[in-house]
Amino acid sequence: MSKDEPLVLELIDLLGYENVIIDDISLKVYECDGAEFFKALPDVVVFPDSAEEISKIVKLANTYNKPYIARGAGTGLSGGTLPINAGIMIAMNKMDRILEVDLENRQAVIEPGVVNLMLTQAVQDKGYHYAPDPSSQQACSIGGNIAENSGGPHTLKYGVTTNHILGMEVVLPNGEIIEFGGPIEEDLGYDLRGLMIGSEGTLGIVTKAIVRLTRNPQAYYTMLGVFETIDNATNAVSNIIADGIVPAALEMMDNFVIRAVEAAFSWGLPTDAGAVLIVELDGVEVGMSDEADQIIRILEDHHTREVRTAKDDEDRKKLWTARKHAFGALGLLAPNYITQDGTVPRSQLPKMLQFVGEVSKKYDIPIANVFHAGDGNLHPIVLFDKRDSDQVERVHMVNKEILQACVDVGGTISGEHGIGVEKQEFMPLIFSEEDMDFMVTIRNIFNPKQLCNPKKIFPIDETIGVTP
Amino acid sequence: MQNTNFSKIDGVIPKEVTIPSSVSEIQSFLRHVTKEKLSVIPAGSGSKLSIGNPPPQIDFLLTMKKFNKVVEYIPDDLTITVGSGMLLKDVQKILADNNQLLPTNPPYNNEATVGGIVATNSSGPHRLRYGATRDLILGLRVVQTNGTIIKAGGKVVKNVAGYDINKLYIASYGTLGIITEVSFKLFPKPAVERTMLLNFNQHGHALRTSTEIVKSQLLPVFVSFFSAGIPDTEVLEPCLLIGIDGHPKTVAWQIDQINSIANLNGVVQKEVYQDHKQSQLRSSLCAFPEGNGSNSAVVSRINIKPSNVGNFISSVLDLTSPFSTYVMSHIGNGIVYLILSDFTEEQIGLLANTLTVLRKQAVNIQGNLILEIAPLGLKNLMDVWGEVGQKSQLMTQIKSELDPANVLNPGRFVAGI
Ligand SMILES: Cc1cc2nc3c(=O)[nH]c(=O)nc-3n(C[C@H](O)[C@H](O)[C@H](O)COP(=O)(O)OP(=O)(O)OC[C@H]3O[C@@H](n4cnc5c(N)ncnc54)[C@H](O)[C@@H]3O)c2cc1C
């Protein structure tokens, strides 16, 4: 887009030169998110500072009939921020203020560009935190979390984003600024706040959120169970859940990941192990070691080689840092990767992980596994080189077979990363025509002209030239 | 009991009762009523049909009571899928056999069906620890007014594929479709359950104690306040009822801690209950919003910020002195239930004025006040829900898109829906 196009001039007029990017080199930064396999350039990137400015941008988009899309931190893993058909990208970076912290009511009012971890850091000295903790929490924005309904390791006990958002301010696709929910638990009428969460930015742009804050637990008990095989580890997970124990977190890493993480962070993970489980309990200190003993017994029943315990808080934090940076560490192993995100009933984990191993062999595509085992939320990380078209073809088959298998055992195709563009073709695996028509009906009520983040989530006929 | 629930809704008698036994029956029924523009009130057991504005007329009352079976229960996955007409208490019985529970304890614990609970997001005191019913639902199956069946969510505990359509139906009060199946996530049954009863002679002391407990690192399952004793028990003073569940050592330690907090805040008497007496107290707590049995009781539910509860209750007690007043609050969640009774026909106007003032006060602090149970006379004087403001347009659009002939619960919900 050139500098003197009327839309650009109006955007500059509204936001100032410094808040409008149109040169190709700078735009490159915004051509993809964490699913870097998919690329598309926006026409223009803008940096508004208020809901009012966003409302005006949205109205301009309507006037010029241009698509537009919000961008948080760009860590999404399903191509959610991909500006298909170009258009205006609305970057939320400047709207990163924590507007109000209300500890008495355990809530905070924030702008959507606030980075997940920053929110926790702002309240941790007072003994609180924001519970949903995606592994990307050092970078990802709460706006992005709301759009994707993100989870994290501690989702097992504390729930996902939707369980922690009380209300929000939204700029609707007609430019109207509106509030859903509020600083209370139950608003009147339909739960439009609930509908917005997980709608992947296709129903409007969130400009403010009222989030719950969670009291820090009195104590943690963090264990690392070391296993010779993935099979033993996943059986232990199923057994823990079946025994009626719901820890605060229950995460698995396979040998691939252990080695990558250890090379990067040297926590002291056993690089010859088939898999490790991180099991964390939290809550009241008295009685906690009894519950830990119960878990250790189950790990032993499944032939754990050893169980290590985090020595102190620093040790615990180091272990979590290692776990949360696992994706990053893996990035070094192959030029490209796609992270699958299917969820299965927890009793099906051993079977599913065996299947993932078989598929990897069958197509000769390496797959690493680091995932939220307690929730049954898999993350097979499929490693490849996109310059090799044969590999790309095989990766596509791998994705398809794994997602189909998740669905076949009663699961779903995405536990937390969203559909975006990456999985839209797989939606029919779980949803009927009627189901999807219904969702499209709802979308069209909010977003009738399809300018707000178009061509996402639902299968589309037009090829967008990016699907592997 | 069920018949009285069904026979009249705000004085209107349904012309016909239909009791479908299959999804396909519901499909053809809904197609028929949509074509003929007939009105339908969907119901489970009818325990909460009092909630809503008076219906203009009712052609059909549709009850889901034949959808009363477990569809799939896999204890090892901690999930269950049941027919929407199943009684919550029957679900709990099956779960208890496997040492599991669905941690919601809404009012009408004995009669309420799963579908009714979902449609009203009916939740109990346990929401402090486990969240509201909304937070426990994984998936739904719903028949649309055009006869199509859709599924929302699924059976796994984490799922972001497509929109979170569950949220559209939870608390939609039967205005958008007929829910036929519900999937829930489950929890292990705690090893030990104890209930503490703390008596005070001043409201302020009780409220301060509860605030201290909620902001501590203790993990009670509920902390509920009663302004004037607990109905159906001999407790008559302001008191707190506190649930502590879990590992025996953890429970014992927390009871000690709560005792110390209470001692510092003017507690008069403390008791810890288990077994029969405990279940009695917990039932009375859950049943509080059902009213105190008198036919003419008015029950309101107020949602405000927890920090506003103390002042709001003082204001309630000031304004409602002409009536018998009972207040119960799940303080940590900012929920207040208010029961007003012992009023005459002539006092209905005064009652409406009082509740309107209280509603205004709640709205001024970003809250709301809903009438859950009210005589027709009162409903004629004030809306059951209050204003939804700017959002009403989107809500009306959703309603008219999903129920174009306006057959489901017409006129009973917010914004004239
Ligand atoms: C290393 C790594 C680890 C990860 N671990 C996890 C994990 O553990 N759990 C998990 O759930 N996810 C995880 N993710 C995925 C990702 O971090 C989350 O989806 C995150 O919520 C995206 O936030 P973001 O700010 O980066 O959003 P973006 O990627 O910028 O955007 C994502 C979507 O949100 C929309 N959006 C952004 N802001 C707004 C707004 N204000 N209003 C409306 N729509 C908006 C965008 O349009 C887009 O559709 C991980 C990603 C990486 C790279």
Side-chain angles (χ1 to χ4, degrees):
Chain A
M1 210 178 235
S2 84
K3 272 199 195 59
D4 40 18
E5 284 214 22
L7 171 60
V8 176
L9 290 175
E10 290 210 49
L11 288 170
I12 291 172
D13 209 33
L14 177 66
L15 304 168
Y17 268 113
E18 64 283 12
N19 293 314
V20 179
I21 292 181
I22 45 163
D23 68 286
D24 281 352
I25 293 170
S26 310
L27 286 179
K28 266 265 186 220
V29 177
Y30 300 92
E31 69 176 351
C32 67
D33 59 13
E36 36 76 67
F37 189 77
F38 308 97
K39 290 190 162 66
L41 274 184
D43 289 320
V44 49
V45 180
V46 293
F47 296 85
D49 200 23
S50 67
E52 289 71 27
E53 284 183 358
I54 293 180
S55 162
K56 286 180 185 153
I57 297 165
V58 167
K59 284 179 182 156
L60 280 176
N62 276 293
T63 310
Y64 289 89
N65 208 31
K66 274 274 173 201
Y68 63 92
I69 183 169
R71 182 179 163 108
T75 68
L77 289 174
S78 54
T81 46
L82 200 72
I84 299 173
N85 296 358
I88 308 169
M89 178 170 280
I90 303 177
M92 306 303 292
N93 308 54
K94 284 180 83 178
M95 293 176 64
D96 65 347
R97 284 160 287 230
I98 296 173
L99 301 173
E100 189 190 328
V101 171
D102 177 359
L103 295 181
E104 210 181 342
N105 292 308
R106 282 163 290 144
Q107 50 181 255
V109 183
I110 61 159
E111 291 185 329
V114 169
V115 169
N116 178 300
L117 188 62
M118 301 289 182
L119 177 56
T120 285
Q121 284 172 346
V123 295
Q124 69 187 6
D125 289 349
K126 312 253 165 53
Y128 290 81
H129 67 287
Y130 176 64
D133 60 338
S135 306
S136 52
Q137 71 184 137
Q138 279 192 322
C140 66
S141 72
I142 305 278
N145 295 169
I146 291 173
E148 305 290 1
N149 193 11
S150 302
H154 291 83
T155 295
L156 177 59
K157 177 166 176 181
Y158 292 96
V160 291
T161 301
T162 194
N163 309 112
H164 296 271
I165 302 293
L166 292 165
M168 57 179 71
E169 179 190 76
V170 176
V171 174
L172 293 173
N174 62 6
E176 189 184 344
I177 303 172
I178 195 166
E179 279 171 28
F180 299 143
I184 53 168
E185 295 219 347
E186 280 171 40
D187 196 10
L188 298 174
Y190 301 134
D191 183 6
L192 301 180
R193 147 201 67 151
L195 187 63
M196 283 296 300
I197 300 165
S199 63
E200 303 194 21
T202 62
L203 304 181
I205 297 186
V206 177
T207 49
K208 210 183 270 174
I210 306 174
V211 303
R212 283 183 201 271
L213 298 174
T214 302
R215 188 75 170 94
N216 293 346
Q218 187 188 30
Y220 297 99
Y221 198 112
T222 312
M223 292 166 270
L224 183 84
V226 181
F227 294 86
E228 302 299 345
T229 65
I230 294 183
D231 217 33
N232 285 339
T234 47
N235 274 303
V237 172
S238 299
N239 200 333
I240 288 171
I241 299 293
D243 250 37
I245 306 170
V246 181
L250 180 43
E251 302 275 308
M252 199 195 102
M253 299 192 262
D254 72 5
N255 178 268
F256 223 131
V257 179
I258 296 170
R259 280 184 293 134
V261 166
E262 199 46 33
F265 299 100
S266 41
W267 188 80
L269 296 171
T271 50
D272 61 335
V276 294
L277 288 180
I278 301 173
V279 193
E280 181 160 283
L281 297 172
D282 72 9
V284 168
E285 188 163 10
V286 177
M288 195 179 271
S289 63
D290 288 9
E291 293 193 339
D293 288 345
Q294 199 186 344
I295 289 172
I296 292 168
R297 271 197 300 279
I298 297 175
L299 300 180
E300 282 168 352
D301 286 348
H302 293 279
H303 318 292
T304 180
R305 188 207 289 175
E306 66 176 308
V307 179
R308 302 185 193 172
T309 309
K311 296 186 288 287
D312 49 30
D313 202 44
E314 200 172 316
D315 205 27
R316 166 182 181 265
K317 283 201 177 113
K318 257 180 81 184
L319 178 59
W320 279 117
T321 306
R323 158 63 187 92
K324 289 188 176 176
H325 286 76
F327 284 144
L330 280 164
L332 308 172
L333 296 182
N336 305 95
Y337 65 85
I338 281 186
T339 309
Q340 285 298 324
D341 180 39
T343 304
V344 297
R346 280 123 358 148
S347 58
Q348 301 296 320
L349 271 176
K351 199 167 133 187
M352 268 311 302
L353 264 287
Q354 278 164 18
F355 182 78
V356 169
E358 285 160 21
V359 172
S360 167
K361 272 207 203 91
K362 177 172 162 192
Y363 291 101
D364 190 25
I365 295 284
I367 300 179
N369 289 287
V370 44
F371 65 102
H372 312 304
D375 288 316
N377 187 188
L378 311 178
H379 286 338
I381 303 176
V382 185
L383 301 159
F384 65 106
D385 182 345
K386 75 172 177 186
R387 291 164 300 190
D388 179 343
S389 60
D390 185 59
Q391 265 193 44
V392 172
E393 188 49 41
R394 280 180 283 141
V395 166
H396 187 62
M397 292 309 294
V398 166
N399 288 343
K400 202 166 172 171
E401 287 205 22
I402 291 175
L403 292 180
Q404 180 70 57
C406 289
V407 174
D408 289 346
V409 297
T412 186
I413 60 175
S414 182
E416 57 181 22
H417 297 164
I419 303 299
V421 296
E422 187 229 352
K423 287 182 283 288
Q424 40 191 177
E425 65 169 309
F426 300 120
M427 284 285 279
L429 293 182
I430 37 169
F431 292 116
S432 67
E433 285 285 317
E434 283 89 4
D435 295 336
M436 287 188 284
D437 279 351
F438 180 84
M439 291 188 214
V440 168
T441 303
I442 298 299
R443 182 195 63 195
N444 292 348
I445 292 172
F446 285 77
N447 185 10
K449 292 210 258 174
Q450 270 290 306
L451 293 177
C452 179
N453 199 0
K455 298 191 177 167
K456 296 287 168 69
I457 306 177
F458 308 103
I460 41 174
D461 301 331
E462 309 98 302
T463 160
I464 50 174
V466 284
T467 315
Chain B
M1 187 69 194
Q2 293 197 356
N3 283 337
T4 50
N5 286 340
F6 285 162
S7 59
K8 256 192 191 174
I9 296 156
D10 294 327
V12 183
I13 300 168
K15 290 188 193 139
E16 228 173 290
V17 173
T18 176
I19 312 177
S21 49
S22 71
V23 171
S24 61
E25 261 178 68
I26 299 177
Q27 290 178 284
S28 42
F29 173 78
L30 285 179
R31 283 194 199 107
H32 168 73
V33 293
T34 294
K35 188 157 158 260
E36 305 296 330
K37 296 198 172 10
L38 301 169
S39 59
V40 182
I41 296 218
S45 61
S47 65
K48 286 175 285 290
L49 291 180
S50 60
I51 309 180
N53 286 315
Q57 60 140 17
I58 307 168
D59 295 309
F60 288 99
L61 193 130
L62 176 146
T63 144
M64 293 299 289
K65 65 180 179 197
K66 287 194 181 160
F67 285 71
N68 60 354
K69 301 209 172 45
V70 174
V71 179
E72 183 183 87
Y73 175 31
I74 303 175
D76 285 1
D77 289 332
L78 284 172
T79 58
I80 192 168
T81 301
V82 300
S84 63
M86 202 164 164
L87 295 179
L88 176 65
K89 75 165 183 200
D90 291 343
V91 178
Q92 298 288 25
K93 218 176 288 160
I94 293 165
L95 299 178
D97 290 342
N98 286 287
N99 245 331
Q100 298 183 343
L101 92 155
L102 178 60
T104 185
N105 313 59
Y108 309 98
N109 231 324
N110 284 318
E111 320 153 60
T113 63
V114 163
I117 290 167
V118 174
T120 55
N121 188 24
S122 187
S123 308
H126 283 50
R127 63 188 298 161
L128 181 65
R129 169 81 155 267
Y130 295 100
T133 296
R134 170 192 194 269
D135 300 303
L136 304 169
I137 294 166
L138 302 175
L140 301 174
R141 207 165 263 280
V142 185
V143 186
Q144 308 297 307
T145 57
N146 66 7
T148 58
I149 303 165
I150 62 145
K151 98 171 178 189
K155 291 174 182 170
V156 283
V157 294
K158 255 173 106 181
N159 189 354
V160 299
Y163 295 148
D164 189 357
I165 296 300
N166 289 322
K167 300 299 186 289
L168 206 49
Y169 289 97
I170 299 166
S172 67
Y173 287 82
T175 58
L176 297 178
I178 304 293
I179 299 167
T180 59
E181 241 175 73
V182 187
S183 304
F184 290 104
K185 72 170 167 184
L186 305 173
F187 286 78
K189 213 169 158 47
V192 172
E193 296 178 349
R194 293 289 181 273
T195 302
M196 293 179 83
L197 174 63
L198 306 180
N199 292 59
F200 298 84
N201 47 27
Q202 287 183 35
H203 294 138
H205 291 174
L207 292 166
R208 212 167 59 214
T209 305
S210 80
T211 308
E212 289 296 318
I213 295 167
V214 170
K215 79 172 196 215
S216 73
Q217 286 169 314
L218 303 172
L219 298 164
V221 285
F222 59 83
V223 179
S224 301
F225 163 83
F226 294 85
S227 70
I230 305 175
D232 306 324
T233 69
E234 61 282 12
V235 187
L236 301 171
E237 308 79 35
C239 63
L240 291 178
L241 206 57
I242 302 167
I244 308 129
D245 298 354
H247 186 284
K249 285 184 195 166
T250 316
V251 169
W253 183 80
Q254 293 193 79
I255 290 174
D256 281 349
Q257 297 295 306
I258 291 172
N259 277 331
S260 325
I261 294 175
N263 287 341
L264 290 175
N265 287 286
V267 69
V268 177
Q269 205 187 331
K270 299 174 300 213
E271 212 69 63
V272 180
Y273 294 103
Q274 54 186 340
D275 305 327
H276 178 66
K277 179 74 186 180
Q278 161 167 264
S279 24
Q280 233 182 347
L281 286 169
R282 288 191 176 199
S283 309
S284 301
L285 169 64
C286 297
F288 186 92
E290 296 169 27
N292 57 1
S294 103
N295 270 336
S296 60
V298 173
V299 180
S300 324
R301 187 178 82 222
I302 297 106
N303 282 286
I304 46 181
K305 287 187 203 173
S307 63
N308 288 324
V309 168
N311 282 340
F312 191 84
I313 290 177
S314 306
S315 169
V316 164
L317 297 176
D318 280 351
L319 286 166
T320 61
S321 51
F323 316 105
S324 296
T325 306
Y326 296 88
V327 177
M328 185 272 283
S329 173
H330 306 312
I331 302 177
N333 302 99
I335 292 168
V336 180
Y337 283 97
L338 165 63
I339 302 181
L340 298 175
S341 54
D342 292 338
F343 48 84
T344 59
E345 275 303 304
E346 292 77 59
Q347 281 177 307
I348 293 269
L350 177 64
L351 198 57
N353 287 342
T354 308
L355 287 166
T356 306
V357 170
L358 286 173
R359 174 176 283 166
K360 269 199 198 115
Q361 290 185 358
V363 170
N364 284 341
I365 49 175
Q366 294 169 284
N368 57 52
L369 180 151
I370 298 165
L371 297 182
E372 292 211 332
I373 301 177
L376 183 58
L378 182 61
K379 288 188 183 183
N380 287 336
L381 295 176
M382 66 188 286
D383 189 84
V384 159
W385 308 96
E387 294 291 324
V388 296
Q390 202 188 352
K391 293 181 295 261
S392 66
Q393 200 188 340
L394 271 173
M395 291 183 187
T396 319
Q397 249 176 299
I398 290 172
K399 168 72 173 176
S400 61
E401 199 66 56
L402 302 186
D403 179 12
N406 197 19
V407 299
L408 293 175
N409 265 340
R412 302 210 71 201
F413 198 43
V414 299
I417 291 170

